[in-house]
């Protein structure tokens, strides 16, 4: 039993909102649903599966209410920012098992207009057992990722310049994405001149906080043959969590080390087969660690791997071609945009940032906090089985 | 300092963790060691995840270790922390093995380095609660 070739993403929509105090979270989700269904050539009446995260504890029921849906399959698994990548896998399994036929995956957030300080404002306490030993010390999200960056620099001599290269290339991609928040090109020097938020990470090593949302439509491979546009076939998927265990946290080993090989084996693809990498870029170090742990380079070699524009859409290892959370949008849980951009690239709809030959795309969502507790979800999509 | 005047988050005490912070109030850093399989675990919890035994020994740690990694935090809007910027958050690897999240205090942030030898120092909240932090060994 495998997911390979059973289902496909047939509709995508990225909400254009970046700062939208005039919109509600549920309005963003409804508008995204409309967009993705139109993209798929389907209507709300076709939908019998519903997935979301980032709403209230049982908000998926309210979302069904809001759209007047009566789904036969619902999933509001919340793994943090990777949730929507996981929903593609869950919906695919549900479709393959006959629990539903057309799944709608929705995300909406007004994090920016609510001035929600995702990275630097919280106490880090969710009310879970480990919080008692962490929250008293001021563990901001950026601070935890910064500790991973500090250790990587110590063990491997990675530099702030190398991390900055990720931000520079990602900004170049944003400059080619009309929907992106930031279009002005930046240099390594600009990144290093931006203020230090939590050493060694500078402001431009960090993603933004925006408003926004998006939607995905997943259906069976059989039904996908009638889709309006070229379908992106689900080739493989796997999830993992990584945490402090019983006290021996290795901050440089992330969940991707577990989920990546499993998803790639299911898909039957090797690293050389992957034409596009869409990896969660909460911070520059997140990209570097994810690429290393997925096996695109060896542990410790990430600094050289990302340098010299190698991650550019027209370089040898195209990565985060939409401009990422660093420069396009980041409403708090960015996973859905990884899949949206991958589908656009596989269809050849990415305009001036189009990867020349794009037949296999790897999405990897990270949710929660690296060097504390996080989830990782890897998803392989392709133009053919 | 009275608990109500303390602005940073304090641990929510429950039946699995109260003994740990009471030990801290006595200025003792105590680790759990499984009485069945001998595995030392941190953070404290009732069952040993290695063998699922509930039998636990409690061993006093030396309170010494080294900085495994750290960050100097320059931005945190949360109450209590925004008044103390910049502060150092770190994982300290105890001599007994476990890596624990903490703050490095009484040490200039610019002098904190990976592998710096440190020792525990307790921030007293009240007679039943103290928070373990670390400082450079002079």
């Amino acid at each position: 039993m495998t997911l390979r070739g059973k289902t496909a993403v047939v509709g995508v929509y990225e909400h254009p909102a970046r700062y939208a105090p005039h919109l509600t979270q549920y309005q963003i989700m409804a508008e995204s649903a409309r967009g993705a269904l139109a993209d798929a050539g389907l209507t709300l009446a076709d939908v019998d599966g519903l997935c979301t995260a980032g709403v209230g504890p049982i908000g998926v029921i309210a979302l069904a209410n809001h759209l007047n849906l009566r789904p036969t399959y619902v999933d509001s698994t919340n793994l943090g920012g990777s949730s929507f990548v996981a929903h593609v896998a869950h919906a695919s399994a549900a479709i393959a098992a006959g629990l539903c036929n057309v799944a709608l995956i929705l995300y909406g957030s007004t994090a920016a207009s609510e001035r929600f300080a995702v990275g630097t404002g919280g106490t880090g306490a969710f009310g879970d057992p480990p919080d008692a030993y962490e929250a008293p010390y001021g563990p901001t999200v950026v601070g935890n990722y910064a500790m991973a960056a500090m250790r990587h620099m110590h063990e491997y001599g990675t530099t702030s310049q190398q991390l900055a290269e990720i931000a520079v290339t990602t900004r170049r991609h944003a400059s080619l994405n009309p929907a992106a928040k930031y279009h002005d090109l930046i240099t390594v020097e600009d990144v290093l001149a931006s203020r230090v938020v939590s050493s060694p990470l500078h402001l431009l090593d960090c993603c933004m906080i925006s408003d926004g949302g998006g939607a995905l439509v997943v259906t069976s491979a059989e039904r996908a043959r009638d889709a309006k546009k070229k379908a992106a076939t689900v080739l493989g998927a796997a999830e993992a969590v990584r945490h402090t265990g019983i006290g021996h946290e290795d901050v440089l080993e992330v969940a991707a080390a577990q989920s990546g090989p499993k998803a790639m084996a299911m898909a039957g693809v090797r690293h050389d087969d992957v034409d596009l990498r869409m990896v969660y870029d909460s911070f520059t170090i997140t990209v570097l660690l994810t690429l290393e742990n997925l096996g695109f380079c060896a542990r410790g070699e990430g600094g050289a791997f990302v340098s010299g524009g190698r991650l550019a859409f027209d370089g040898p290892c195209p990565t985060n071609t939409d401009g990422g959370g660093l420069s396009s949008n980041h409403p708090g849980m960015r996973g859905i945009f990884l899949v949206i951009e991958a589908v656009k690239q596989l269809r050849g709809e990415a305009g001036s940032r189009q990867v020349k030959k794009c037949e296999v795309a790897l999405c990897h969502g990270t949710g929660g906090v690296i060097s504390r507790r996080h989830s990782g979800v890897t998803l392989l999509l392709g133009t053919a089985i | 300092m009275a608990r109500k005047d303390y602005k940073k988050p304090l641990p929510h005490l429950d039946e699995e963790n109260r003994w740990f912070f009471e030990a801290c109030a006595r200025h003792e850093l105590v680790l759990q060691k499984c009485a069945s399989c001998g595995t030392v675990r941190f953070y404290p919890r009732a069952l040993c995840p290695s063998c699922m035994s509930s039998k636990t020994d409690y061993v006093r740690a030396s309170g010494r270790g080294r900085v495994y990694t750290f960050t100097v935090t320059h931005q945190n809007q949360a109450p209590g922390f925004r008044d103390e910027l910049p502060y150092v958050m770190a994982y300290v690897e105890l001599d007994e093995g476990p890596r624990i999240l903490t703050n490095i205090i009484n040490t200039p942030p610019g002098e904190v380095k990976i592998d710096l030898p440190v020792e525990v120092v307790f921030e007293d909240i009240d007679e039943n609660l103290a928070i373990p932090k670390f400082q450079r060994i002079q």
Side-chain angles (χ1 to χ4, degrees):
Chain A
M1 186 69 178
T2 169
L3 291 181
R4 186 172 191 276
K6 299 273 199 317
T7 61
V9 182
V10 292
V12 298
Y13 184 79
E14 179 180 311
H15 201 286
R18 296 297 186 268
Y19 183 70
H22 59 294
L23 297 177
T24 71
Q25 179 186 23
Y26 278 66
Q27 190 176 2
I28 289 172
M29 288 195 280
E31 290 178 2
S32 298
R34 181 175 62 197
L37 287 166
D39 190 55
L42 296 170
T43 71
L44 215 45
D46 296 303
V47 174
D48 59 358
L50 183 65
C51 308
T52 193
V55 291
I58 56 171
V60 70
I61 303 173
L63 182 60
N65 195 157
H66 212 68
L67 294 171
N68 196 22
L69 282 172
R70 296 192 176 198
T72 61
Y73 176 78
V74 290
D75 176 20
S76 56
T77 300
N78 192 336
L79 301 171
S82 63
S83 300
F84 311 96
V85 187
H87 293 162
V88 175
H90 298 182
S92 294
I95 290 164
L99 300 180
C100 65
N101 296 299
V102 176
L104 183 59
I105 299 168
L106 296 180
Y107 172 53
S109 163
T110 51
S113 48
E114 290 174 48
R115 303 189 61 75
F116 181 46
V118 179
T120 60
T123 59
F126 295 96
D128 298 319
D131 292 345
Y133 313 93
E134 297 169 349
Y137 305 111
T140 61
V141 174
V142 54
N144 276 279
Y145 283 82
M147 288 198 297
M150 191 71 86
R151 185 73 199 181
H152 205 279
M153 291 175 169
H154 174 78
E155 282 193 29
Y156 301 112
T158 309
T159 64
S160 289
Q161 283 84 351
Q162 289 172 324
L163 290 178
E165 291 253 9
I166 296 167
V168 169
T169 301
T170 309
R171 179 61 65 86
R172 181 176 166 227
H173 292 155
S175 77
L176 301 170
N177 177 2
K181 172 124 175 166
Y182 297 114
H183 292 119
D184 294 340
L185 295 174
I186 55 172
T187 63
V188 167
E189 290 69 33
D190 290 333
V191 179
L192 300 188
S194 64
R195 65 188 163 81
V196 174
V197 178
S198 200
S199 67
L201 297 180
H202 298 76
L203 181 66
L204 293 178
D205 285 301
C206 305
C207 66
M208 72 182 81
I209 296 303
S210 70
D211 293 336
L216 307 170
V217 180
V218 182
T219 192
S220 65
E222 189 177 21
R223 203 156 166 177
R225 283 195 273 277
D226 303 326
K228 195 162 131 190
K229 295 180 177 173
K230 192 159 74 174
T233 303
V234 172
L235 300 178
E239 299 165 28
V241 293
R242 182 80 203 185
H243 46 67
T244 57
I246 55 171
H248 299 276
E249 172 69 331
D250 174 354
V251 297
L252 302 184
E253 187 168 319
V254 300
Q258 183 183 328
S259 65
K262 192 171 177 208
M264 290 180 71
M266 185 188 291
V269 301
R270 297 167 307 158
H271 292 93
D272 288 348
D273 300 323
V274 176
D275 303 308
L276 170 67
R277 283 140 289 265
M278 291 300 303
V279 299
Y280 208 110
D281 62 338
S282 44
F283 304 95
T284 51
I285 185 66
T286 319
V287 177
L288 186 145
L289 287 175
T290 304
L291 292 172
E292 283 187 1
N293 280 265
L294 287 170
F296 286 101
C297 61
R299 177 162 157 163
E301 290 176 2
F305 186 81
V306 303
S307 294
R310 295 185 75 253
L311 303 187
F313 77 101
D314 53 0
C317 303
T319 302
N320 293 351
T321 47
D322 65 336
L326 291 169
S327 287
S328 179
N329 63 344
H330 188 281
M333 299 166 75
R334 186 164 207 281
I336 202 162
F337 305 116
L338 308 176
V339 182
I340 292 171
E341 174 70 4
V343 171
K344 286 182 181 172
Q345 288 281 356
L346 291 167
R347 286 176 175 171
E349 289 180 350
S352 57
R353 64 182 191 280
Q354 179 65 46
V355 174
K356 202 174 244 176
K357 170 191 154 292
C358 191
E359 295 168 358
V360 175
L362 180 149
C363 305
H364 183 86
T366 299
V369 183
I370 281 175
S371 88
R372 217 173 149 195
R373 276 174 294 294
H374 67 278
S375 66
V377 185
T378 309
L379 172 71
L380 276 299
L381 297 171
T383 53
I385 297 172
Chain B
M1 156 142 3
R3 208 178 275 206
K4 66 180 168 51
D5 298 324
Y6 193 78
K7 290 182 187 165
K8 296 175 193 169
L10 288 170
H12 174 71
L13 299 181
D14 60 28
E15 297 315 306
E16 278 191 286
N17 69 23
R18 183 173 287 109
W19 64 269
F20 176 82
F21 292 102
E22 286 176 352
C24 288
R26 299 192 303 270
H27 289 196
E28 294 176 8
L29 187 65
V30 177
L31 298 172
Q32 290 175 310
K33 184 175 182 181
C34 178
S36 298
C37 75
T39 305
V40 174
R41 61 184 185 265
F42 188 88
Y43 63 91
R45 63 204 88 169
L47 263 69
C48 170
S50 298
C51 73
M52 302 223 71
S53 169
S54 302
K55 294 180 191 138
T56 308
D57 291 330
Y58 295 87
V59 293
R60 186 170 176 180
S62 67
R64 289 175 176 248
R66 290 173 183 271
V67 172
Y68 165 70
T69 189
F70 73 100
T71 181
V72 183
T73 301
H74 293 272
Q75 185 176 336
N76 184 352
Q77 291 95 308
F81 296 109
R82 63 185 169 221
D83 310 319
E84 292 186 7
L85 297 169
Y87 64 89
V88 178
M89 178 171 71
Y91 273 108
V92 165
E93 184 171 306
L94 300 175
D95 286 352
E96 292 78 9
R99 292 173 183 155
I100 78 172
L101 194 70
T102 190
N103 294 132
I104 307 296
I105 62 171
N106 304 332
T107 310
E111 294 178 22
V112 176
K113 289 196 265 302
I114 289 176
D115 291 335
L116 182 75
V118 291
E119 63 188 358
V120 72
V121 51
F122 293 93
E123 182 178 19
D124 294 315
I125 307 300
D126 63 26
E127 65 274 14
N128 295 315
L129 178 61
I131 306 295
K133 299 191 171 180
F134 285 77
Q135 65 185 7
R136 175 172 58 185
I137 295 175
Q138 294 299 328

